[in-house]
Amino acid sequence: MTPAQRVSEVFSKAGRQLLIALMEATIGSGFTEIVANDFRNVGEDRHKKFLIIVGLASIHRSTLSSQVVGAALSNLGIEEDVNKMSMETEGIIVSNTNKYSARHPVYVRELFEKIAPTAMIRDCLVAVLEAFSSYETPVIKHVGKADGVVFKSIINHRFVKEMMHGDIEKVLSVYETFETKFHIDGLYWLQYGLALRDFDRHPEALEKLKTAREAYNSPHIEHAYAQQLMIIASMASTWDDAEPLLVEAMDTLRTLNRAADAEDTYPIVTLSEGHISIVLKFKDVEAAQKIAQQYANELLVAHHKHSSTRLESAVQKVVTFATNGIWTESYGPDSV
């Protein structure tokens, strides 16, 4: 480069990064317009998909390896060399030692939420997950750290729902694609079950969570399964139908609580709130209050060992009910 070209290059790249910092601080209509213009002008359809694939890592402040990027592009029928694609999108896509990222997480979020077509995001998401499906299961133990962050993040039920703008058909179509390919990956079945829970498809959710338990043993899976049992128990029409579900859920959560460290207070919170809520529905206030008094002591001990906002809320709710019979229902799917 000539001296003039070098100066121009430095100021151009510095300006782009400064612009992103200003965008993050201000987020106005101009920001959306700039991102939309970049997406229009980034190149052909394959360049747009390349940006979205890499963006799935960047939105989680991670990178994606060239192997996964290349495989995802191939899954979309794009056989062009990844390095060449990176050069053609320089300034928006950043490459570093065969790892790729888009220019900024805030930039990518704006792109995903307001500009890129949902169908294209869905196709790219599936393409990246297909790339991960070639690894041994559990996938997260057989990929690099950065790729593992991406896999765990993009298969998450909340992220998929957010990217698909709550469209149940699109969300479930992502998970349905991998029932064979990820059939022994517990994380996949866990997130599939939680996705079904999000849409109140509770019996189906329970079946997926049962499969998750068979595929892999983890506290998160056990907790989600126990909570799903309680959700279905709370929906039962009779105590005879609810009781066996409640008993199994309680046994599972008690086992989890015994093995949990002081910081993991979620099993006792789920156990106490779910048990009280179900007894209150099928028995009476007095019976539920007796149970609440027992749980109040356990919750206070847990709160003394390690306080948290969620635990503090549970303590207040259970103690209030135990003393005056006022119960505020909050038991539901959002705590897992």
Side-chain angles (χ1 to χ4, degrees), residues 56 59-60 109 112 118 121-123 125-126 129 150-176 178 188 191-192 194-196 198-199:
L56 288 168
I59 199 170
H60 296 106
R109 180 162 292 280
F112 285 0
T118 304
I121 296 173
R122 185 260 176 206
D123 291 345
L125 175 61
V126 168
L129 289 172
V150 177
F151 176 69
K152 184 177 180 180
S153 300
I154 67 174
I155 205 168
N156 182 274
H157 67 110
R158 292 190 182 95
F159 178 72
V160 176
K161 185 178 181 181
E162 180 185 11
M163 291 299 99
M164 298 300 102
H165 301 289
D167 186 315
I168 183 171
E169 290 185 6
K170 286 188 174 70
V171 170
L172 296 185
S173 76
V174 171
Y175 292 102
E176 287 164 356
F178 298 99
Y188 159 74
Q191 296 304 326
Y192 193 174
L194 294 177
L196 287 162
D198 277 346
F199 296 108

Side-chain angles (χ1 to χ4, degrees), residues 212-324:
R213 294 178 87 210
E214 294 167 2
Y216 190 72
N217 181 30
S218 84
H220 289 296
I221 291 172
E222 290 297 290
H223 192 160
Y225 174 71
Q227 190 168 23
Q228 194 63 35
L229 287 170
M230 283 195 165
I231 290 172
I232 294 178
S234 71
M235 297 166 58
S237 55
T238 68
W239 172 248
D240 287 342
D241 291 333
E243 186 180 22
L245 298 169
L246 175 60
V247 169
E248 185 180 357
M250 289 172 60
D251 289 344
T252 302
L253 290 167
R254 282 292 182 196
T255 301
L256 274 180
N257 196 53
R258 283 193 294 270
D261 57 38
E263 295 184 9
D264 185 7
T265 56
Y266 283 105
I268 186 60
V269 169
T270 300
L271 176 60
S272 59
E273 293 185 347
H275 192 181
I276 293 167
S277 178
I278 292 168
V279 170
L280 184 61
K281 174 180 177 179
F282 291 104
K283 301 294 184 178
D284 53 38
V285 173
E286 184 178 348
Q289 278 185 293
K290 288 181 180 178
I291 292 170
Q293 288 165 3
Q294 298 169 12
Y295 282 121
N297 294 328
E298 290 188 69
L299 290 167
L300 287 167
V301 170
H303 186 264
H304 179 71
K305 289 181 179 178
H306 186 84
S307 182
S308 70
T309 302
R310 183 70 182 90
L311 181 55
E312 189 173 340
S313 171
V315 169
Q316 183 177 358
K317 185 166 76 169
V318 171
V319 170
T320 298
F321 179 70
T323 54
N324 62 25

Side-chain angles (χ1 to χ4, degrees), residues 20-65:
I20 292 300
L22 291 171
M23 288 173 179
E24 186 173 17
T26 57
I27 308 265
S29 59
F31 175 71
T32 304
E33 189 176 328
I34 290 168
V35 179
N37 188 57
D38 278 355
F39 190 63
R40 278 194 304 271
N41 297 322
V42 71
E44 299 176 8
D45 187 73
R46 68 181 189 278
H47 297 101
K48 291 179 171 65
K49 290 177 179 176
F50 179 47
L51 171 56
I52 291 172
I53 287 169
V54 174
L56 288 168
S58 298
I59 199 170
H60 296 106
R61 299 184 181 275
S62 189
T63 60
L64 206 54
S65 67

Side-chain angles (χ1 to χ4, degrees), residues 95-109:
S95 63
N96 183 18
T97 61
N98 291 320
K99 294 180 179 179
Y100 294 88
S101 61
R103 55 163 44 167
H104 198 279
V106 174
Y107 179 97
V108 175
R109 180 162 292 280

Side-chain angles (χ1 to χ4, degrees), residues 1 67 179 253 314 319:
M1 290 185 187
Q67 294 93 332
E179 287 193 0
L253 290 167
V319 170

